[in-house]
Amino acid sequence: MASPGTVIALAARSLWNRRGTALLTVFSIAVSVTLLLGVDRVRTEARASFANTISGTDLIVGARSGDLNLLLYSVFRIGNATNNITWQTYQELKDRREVAWTIPISLGDSHRGFRVMGTTLDYFEHYRFARDRGLEFAAGKPFAGVFEAVLGADVARDLGYRVGDRIALAHGLAATSFAMHDDKPFTVTGILRRTGTPVDRTVHVGLAGIEAIHLDWQSGTRLPGQSVSAEEAAARDLTPKAITAALVGLRSRAATFRLQRALNEYPAEPLSAVIPGVALQQLWELVGVVEVALIAVSAFVVLGGLLGMLAAILTSLNERRREMAILRAVGARPAHVFGLLVSEAFLLATTGVVLGMGLLYLLMAAGKGLVEDKLGIFISIRPPGPYDLAIAGLVMAAAIVMGALPAWRAYRNTLADGLTVRL
Amino acid sequence: MSAASAAAAAPAPVPVVALRDVRFAWRPGRPVLDVPALEVAAGERLFVGGPSGSGKSTLLAVIGGVLVPQSGTVELLGRSLAGLRPAQRDALRAEHIGFLFQLFNLLPYLTVLDNVVLPCRFSAARRARATRGGRGVEAEAARLLGQLGLGDPELQARRVTELSIGQQQRVAAARAMIGAPALVIADEPTSALDADARMAFLDLLMAECRAAGSAVIFVSHDTALAAQFDRRITLHAPGVPHG
């Protein structure tokens, strides 16, 4: 009685003998597995990257709007604020007992396609990303004066700026704006270390700076004959009248829901307070449909790969009747022939899965930089997780089940052919 | 239809093969094989002649338990094949019969040595007999190949497709004989060889079977070879054996 090892070894030798077609089958399985695992990787990495963008912040507070909208424009610089919150409301929020710190955010201007964000020094102290990493300076220091700016890593790299350069901000968000605040240029005082978050693509200035460049503006246009020079502006009272949103850190997490409710029912003006994690969850529910569709498509591609394997094995059966007959003549039973073909399917699928995983890691290593640059999504290269192993197991199991079909055909053939095939 | 000269050979206590009133037909009413009685004693060498279509291969398939006759009994070493399940017949065949065919006997993707060892991978009894001398199956395979003039280790490690037809048939002979089966069934093994190679091959085969104590049933339409055998029967279409 032959051991399974003998049968598998024979299947491997037989496959190697037909390695041309076998490799094609293996590649088609490998590519499909890469796709299926890759979709999941991109999905989880994108989620992790989004989740990593903001951490340590308990509430985001802005003018009344949808939770998701508030999260997207305040943290991810996607979309625009519908309204502002008054400086007084912000002060009241800041002074509440349960509030440990706040970061004001004032958006609406841009610099050559990168968004400008007005904030305070609290930003550099309290903003956290990727669990518990704080902002660090690659060069220079935080802004201090009114017309000073700190650049994200991408802004500095893409535009070739260094500490000490002078830049002009544009009104509005278009990359080529005709409404320039070019009469009040900003000096770059610092460049942040790369974070892999939208911070890298942001120009940071003080709230006073935002106020100063808008002194002689109203309703989006420059007021004629009311030009205020930079020196005059710096001398004025530059306390902002409003900000776009605020990130809030609490002394105790336990107070989160209470404060959220209080802010959502704020009497003085309509506010929205969202918990970043909850809003992110809403986002995932939204994109979940697309993810499921992508995974379903990938799963069908894998099925296609396996069906290709099935077709390849089935078409090979006829020319291999002699091989089966020889095996029978040396003592292999029909069950061995059955096992031989199931082993063949298993070997093809296993090689395909291993190759597919290798391909995935190769692609991740190669595409890491590009994805970070273009999408701001950080890809961490980690060993195969339970999901990957489950998929691998599933593909191999499916291959075994599918291999049973040609195995059954070969089994029937062997019974009919006996020990010789007259070809 | 009659079995001739069966009585001439003195029957051993347990014949290797015993057929009685065996009839086989692919289609009802048109028998291709009708053997009233046929016995092959241990170590006996039987030549089966007859034109193509006379049922020679069918006879071998029936003896090997691959085909089950519609009537009659087939015994292999005293065990009736009729009472066995297919898996048991397979096991019995793997254990006691070595097969040798006309052409393409070998697996192209294995080396010469691995082809010879193959029956020992599927039958524990063959393996046990092959290793009785305390050597491994590979050593026994190498020894058999050496006896058949293929002793070169470099040649034994080659893939069989690189060998000549004559060499391939000798490899197949070594494979049929490894583990000393009680019976070697050879179906036209020499028909692809030229006349000189044919006689040389037959001599080697006979010598090895004698050494191993294996009985031989040798099927050929080439009656010139029959002189080498203890006994000779001829099948006539449709499957009538004559002495």
Side-chain angles (χ1 to χ4, degrees), chain A residues 2 13 17 323 326 420 422, chain B residues 57 101 105 109 114 121 159:
Chain A
R13 305 274 285 268
N17 195 44
E323 177 186 340
I326 293 169
T420 48
R422 308 256 175 225
Chain B
S57 294
F101 297 109
N105 277 301
Y109 49 81
D114 285 339
R121 303 233 186 273
R159 302 219 303 175

Side-chain angles (χ1 to χ4, degrees), chain B residues 24 26 60 71 86 93 125 144-145 149 153 159 208 214:
Chain B
F24 181 85
W26 291 108
L60 297 186
S71 64
R93 175 173 60 241
L144 275 170
L145 284 168
R159 302 219 303 175
E208 279 311 301
S214 304

Side-chain angles (χ1 to χ4, degrees), chain A residues 57-247:
Chain A
T57 297
D58 295 308
L59 284 174
I60 303 170
V61 182
R64 176 73 42 88
S65 74
D67 292 2
L68 202 47
N69 188 35
L70 178 53
L71 174 80
L72 288 178
Y73 75 67
S74 64
V75 177
F76 299 104
R77 321 270 189 272
I78 297 169
N80 294 304
T82 47
N83 217 330
N84 287 339
I85 55 178
T86 63
W87 184 246
Q88 188 186 344
T89 299
Y90 172 64
Q91 290 302 320
E92 285 169 14
L93 170 67
K94 193 178 172 180
D95 293 339
R96 288 182 82 108
R97 206 165 15 88
E98 58 268 50
V99 172
W101 52 263
T102 57
I103 298 171
I105 291 172
S106 191
L107 298 164
D109 290 306
S110 68
H111 175 74
R112 296 175 68 177
F114 294 104
R115 298 219 181 186
V116 173
M117 186 179 106
T119 185
T120 62
L121 294 176
D122 289 329
Y123 179 71
F124 301 108
E125 187 175 342
H126 294 299
Y127 186 78
R128 290 285 181 277
F129 65 97
R131 293 195 183 281
D132 199 30
R133 283 172 61 190
L135 297 175
E136 289 168 15
F137 280 83
K141 56 185 195 314
F143 50 74
V146 174
F147 296 108
E148 291 184 351
V150 169
L151 306 182
D154 286 351
V155 182
R157 191 197 53 194
D158 291 0
L159 301 179
Y161 290 151
R162 281 188 232 147
V163 173
D165 286 353
R166 284 158 76 83
I167 61 174
L169 306 188
H171 195 75
L173 300 173
T176 50
S177 178
F178 292 106
M180 299 293 289
H181 299 292
D182 47 6
D183 55 333
K184 303 181 186 67
F186 281 70
T187 304
V188 177
T189 61
I191 293 166
L192 292 173
R193 214 180 278 285
R194 171 169 283 278
T195 63
T197 73
V199 171
D200 296 345
R201 310 184 65 79
T202 304
V203 175
H204 308 87
V205 300
L207 286 176
I210 296 283
E211 201 60 27
I213 56 177
H214 292 108
L215 275 177
D216 45 5
W217 286 61
Q218 204 167 60
S219 307
T221 50
R222 208 183 286 247
L223 297 173
Q226 286 205 22
S227 177
V228 180
S229 75
E231 293 74 29
E232 286 170 335
R236 295 228 198 145
D237 174 18
L238 292 173
T239 306
K241 291 167 198 67
I243 59 169
T244 314
L247 308 184

